[in-house]
Structure formats: C-alpha cells, structure tokens
C-alpha cells in the first residue's frame, strides 16, 4: 500500500506519517512547509516540496507515484486568524481541496481521508455531539472545513471518490519518542501555552472566560491524544480499502475537562506552580465541546488508548522540554 500524505510535515500529519511508516506502509509526503517542519517528516517517507493549489505539481506527483489513497491535512487551522483573514482560508482550504480533487479525478485516485474539525458544529445543540447533529460553524475556519466536507460529498457522488472525514476535537500530546510534537507559530492552543510557563517562555497562562455555565466557570473541551488520532487515519484508510463507503466520524475521548482542570493537571505533571490570570471570554468559544466517538469505535474499530489527561500532558511536556524552541529547521519552524 502506498499513501500520499498532504500536509505530512504538520502536527497531526507528521504523527500519522510516523504511524504509517511503523506499519510498513510506503508513504509519500507533500507539504509547502508554510506552517509545517521538514524535520518533522519521518525519514522513511519520500518528500515532495509543493503546494496543493498547484495543479501541475499534483498532476506530476500522481503520475510519478502510483498511490492507493490520499490523507489530506494540508490546511490553515488558526481560528482567530481565520476571522481576520477569511479569504486566506477559503483559498488554501477550499480552493486547494478543489485543485486536489480535480487532480485525483484525472489520476483515477479514488480514496481520501480528510482532517475535519469539531469547529464544523459551532455552538452544539447538545453534548456529547453526534455526527448527525446540526453543523453551524462560528468562524471561517470551521466554515471552510465544512465546505471541504461538502465538496467531498458531491465529488463522491459525481466521480466515485470515497472519502472519510474525521472531525477532531482538541488534538494534543506528542509521540512517545518525543522527537515530534506540537510547534505552531504563533501558538494559540491551551496545552502548549500552559507548558511555556515552566519553560520560562511566559510568566503566566491566561484563562479565557470564567463565567461559562460549567462546573468551575471555564470552558470544557474533549482532549484527544495525537497518537490516537494518527491511528484513526490508518483505520479510516483501511476501511476505504476494504470497500467502506464515504462517511464522517467524530474523534474524541468523550470526556470533558475544564481549562482550570487542564492547568491543574499540568501543575502536577511539571511540578511548577504555573500562575494563571483570569481574562474575558475569547470570541467564538462554545462553553462545552465533547464528542460521541461511538460511531468511529463501531465502524472503524477505533480504540483510543491514551485517554488520561495526565498522560497526554506528560507526553506533551516530554516533547516541549526536549525541544523548547520547537523544530530547528523548516520554513514554519
Ligand atoms: N484557552 C485559554 N487560554 C489560552 C488558550 C486557550 O483559556 O491561553 C481556552 C480556550 O478558550 C478554550 C480552551 O482553552 O476554551 C481550548 O482552546 P484551544 O485554543 O487549545 O482549542 P480550541 O478549543 O479553540 O480548539
């Protein structure tokens, strides 16, 4: 089996590439390195530098590498930035995926696993969230991911492409080797920001909103280990290879933690007091996001096994401690 991973130099992409290589799958990575890191790509994978909006690049790639399927991570993913620069998100995420699908149709590549997000739901009607629940994104990032899902849906009908869309909740943690991990520039995610305090990179962490209708007033999220996400992509590709039909799956642990609980767990893991300051709400944050991942468990046989928050934060801590400045090379650094 040979798989093309688009965006394989990014956070979840690089963990999936490593997991595929560990399974003996032949992996081809394409990445424009705008936000990814060359150093994050497993050396067992073959790397092509290029952009998915470049149709000629993709046509050449599909001609050179006879791939059995595509796993697509190549998208911008900063919620806040998407609000200020929506067209940047429509161009890369939606237009890029259109170019990719055109190239796949030409090359006769029929299977794709795609990274989607809980942001497609917006403010949920209820928790845990089911895949069939209302989708009403509250920011352009979620809108573009939903538009991509719809493009796959209609392309599946028109061109016989089968897709699996994986709606992640809060991806976190790092590979147990601590050689790859989260390294966003700028960082906006809670766990890496908390861990910057014991690394002496910031004096304190901010708590965005303390008046939510939750047990301690702070937002509740479903934190899912990146290694478990990587396994879900492999299972999804195997599902499609086995004749599985196009479908959408949530990926989370089904357990919610408040921001205060996450900070408290990080204090325990690092042994550092990690001062926190209470601030106002961040725009567009739903109070509670918790996944029902029952469908992924039943249909894909997915079984997330790193479900303790302490273990998740400990793995992130091992990565950040050994790489306080993230990766040393790559345009995204
Ligand atoms: N958050 C926070 N302080 C920060 C960053 C995030 O309180 O410095 C909160 C944020 O409001 C949300 C939760 O932590 O409720 C997780 O945010 P993150 O950006 O990690 O992921 P998101 O839920 O936006 O995908």
């Amino acid at each position: 089996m040979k798989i093309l991973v688009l965006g394989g130099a990014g956070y979840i992409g690089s963990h999936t590439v490593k997991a595929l290589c560990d399974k003996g799958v032949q992996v081809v990575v394409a990445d424009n390195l705008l936000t990814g890191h060359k150093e994050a790509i497993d050396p067992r994978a073959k790397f092509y530098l290029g952009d998915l909006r470049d149709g000629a690049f993709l046509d050449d790639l599909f001609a050179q590498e006879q791939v059995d399927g595509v796993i697509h991570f190549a998208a911008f993913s900063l919620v806040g930035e998407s609000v200020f620069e929506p067209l940047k998100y429509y161009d890369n995420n939606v237009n890029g995926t259109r170019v990719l699908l055109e190239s796949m149709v030409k090359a006769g590549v029929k299977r794709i696993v795609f990274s989607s997000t809980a942001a497609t739901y917006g403010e949920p009607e209820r928790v845990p969230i089911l895949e069939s629940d209302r989708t009403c994104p509250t920011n352009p990032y979620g809108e573009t991911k939903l538009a991509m899902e719809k493009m796959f849906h209609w392309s599946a009908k028109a061109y016989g492409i089968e897709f699996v869309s994986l709606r992640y909740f809060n991806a976190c943690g790092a590979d147990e080797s601590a050689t790859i991990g989260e390294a966003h520039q700028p960082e906006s995610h809670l766990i890496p920001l908390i861990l910057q305090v014991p690394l002496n990179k910031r004096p304190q962490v901010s708590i965005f909103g303390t008046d939510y209708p939750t047990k301690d007033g702070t937002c509740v999220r479903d934190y899912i280990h990146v290694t478990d996400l990587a396994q879900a992509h492999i299972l999804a590709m195997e599902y499609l290879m086995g004749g599985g039909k196009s479908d959408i799956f949530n990926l989370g642990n089904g357990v919610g933690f408040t921001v205060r609980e996450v900070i408290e767990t990080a204090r325990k893991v690092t042994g550092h007091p990690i001062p926190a300051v209470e601030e106002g709400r961040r725009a567009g944050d739903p109070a509670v996001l918790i996944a029902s991942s029952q469908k992924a468990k039943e249909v894909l046989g997915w079984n997330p096994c790193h479900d303790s928050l302490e273990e998740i934060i400990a793995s992130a801590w091992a990565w950040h401690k050994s790489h306080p400045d993230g990766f040393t090379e790559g345009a995204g650094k």
Side-chain angles (χ1 to χ4, degrees):
M1 177 158 79
K2 194 196 265 191
I3 300 296
L4 170 63
V5 182
L6 290 166
Y11 173 42
I12 305 168
S14 61
H15 283 79
T16 303
V17 169
K18 180 171 187 289
L20 285 163
C21 291
D22 286 346
K23 278 203 90 169
V25 175
Q26 267 184 285
V27 184
V28 177
V29 170
D31 199 297
N32 60 12
L33 298 183
L34 278 183
T35 55
H37 313 272
K38 187 150 187 253
E39 207 182 320
I41 303 170
D42 194 294
R44 293 168 290 182
K46 189 166 169 188
F47 175 57
Y48 288 82
L49 178 64
D51 195 296
L52 90 157
R53 289 163 290 187
D54 180 349
F57 164 71
L58 288 179
D59 291 346
D60 282 352
L61 185 53
F62 283 122
Q64 274 188 57
E65 306 283 350
Q66 306 290 307
V67 300
D68 300 293
V70 174
I71 305 183
H72 177 24
F73 296 99
F76 291 140
S77 63
L78 297 175
V79 170
E81 183 187 60
S82 79
V83 175
F84 297 105
E85 293 190 77
L87 298 181
K88 175 175 169 179
Y89 279 68
Y90 276 89
D91 178 40
N92 193 38
N93 298 3
V94 180
N95 180 43
T97 299
R98 177 190 63 79
V99 175
L100 168 65
L101 280 165
E102 275 176 5
S103 196
M104 284 177 64
V105 170
K106 272 193 261 175
V109 177
K110 301 270 187 201
R111 302 178 193 98
I112 183 158
V113 175
F114 155 68
S115 61
S116 187
T117 167
T120 52
Y121 295 109
E123 187 69 51
E125 293 170 291
R126 56 172 174 181
V127 287
I129 302 171
L130 291 173
E131 291 82 352
S132 51
D133 286 354
R134 180 191 65 188
T135 47
C136 189
T138 53
N139 54 63
Y141 167 63
E143 284 287 7
T144 58
K145 287 279 175 164
L146 190 58
M148 290 156 79
E149 284 190 352
K150 290 185 176 168
M151 214 187 315
F152 286 119
H153 170 78
W154 293 110
S155 298
K157 289 195 185 302
Y159 312 118
I161 287 174
E162 299 290 348
F163 74 94
V164 165
S165 175
L166 299 174
R167 290 180 178 162
Y168 319 147
F169 281 62
N170 286 62
C172 49
D175 186 67
E176 62 181 4
S177 67
T179 55
I180 50 176
E182 201 166 359
H184 296 114
Q185 204 55 272
E187 191 50 74
S188 67
H189 291 112
L190 179 64
I191 293 176
L193 285 173
I194 293 172
L195 295 177
Q196 284 180 3
V197 180
L199 287 172
N200 293 319
K201 293 194 168 285
R202 64 175 58 236
Q204 63 210 14
V205 67
S206 301
I207 298 176
F208 295 146
T210 53
D211 59 348
Y212 286 99
T214 59
K215 64 177 171 183
D216 64 19
T218 65
C219 287
V220 170
R221 292 289 180 272
D222 184 337
Y223 294 89
I224 179 75
H225 199 293
V226 65
T227 301
D228 286 325
L229 291 181
Q231 290 306 324
H233 290 79
I234 297 178
L235 290 167
M237 187 50 81
E238 287 172 351
Y239 161 82
L240 290 178
M241 297 281 184
K245 292 283 157 215
S246 296
D247 214 338
I248 296 175
F249 300 94
N250 286 339
L251 298 178
N253 273 314
V255 181
F257 292 97
T258 66
V259 173
R260 289 190 208 279
E261 286 172 333
V262 175
I263 296 171
E264 199 45 53
T265 308
R267 288 180 179 134
K268 237 204 275 172
V269 167
T270 62
H272 189 284
I274 310 184
V277 286
E278 298 183 0
E279 294 186 21
R281 292 182 177 197
R282 190 173 70 175
D285 269 341
V288 181
L289 288 175
I290 299 173
S292 163
S293 300
Q294 210 43 43
K295 188 171 160 190
K297 289 179 182 165
E298 281 169 19
V299 178
L300 302 178
W302 185 55
N303 185 23
C305 45
H306 304 283
D307 57 353
S308 113
L309 185 62
E310 208 165 319
E311 182 190 347
I312 288 173
I313 294 179
S315 73
W317 181 229
W319 152 253
H320 288 291
K321 236 186 341 183
S322 56
H323 297 78
D325 298 316
F327 293 100
T328 54
E329 342 173 306
K333 261 211 23 82

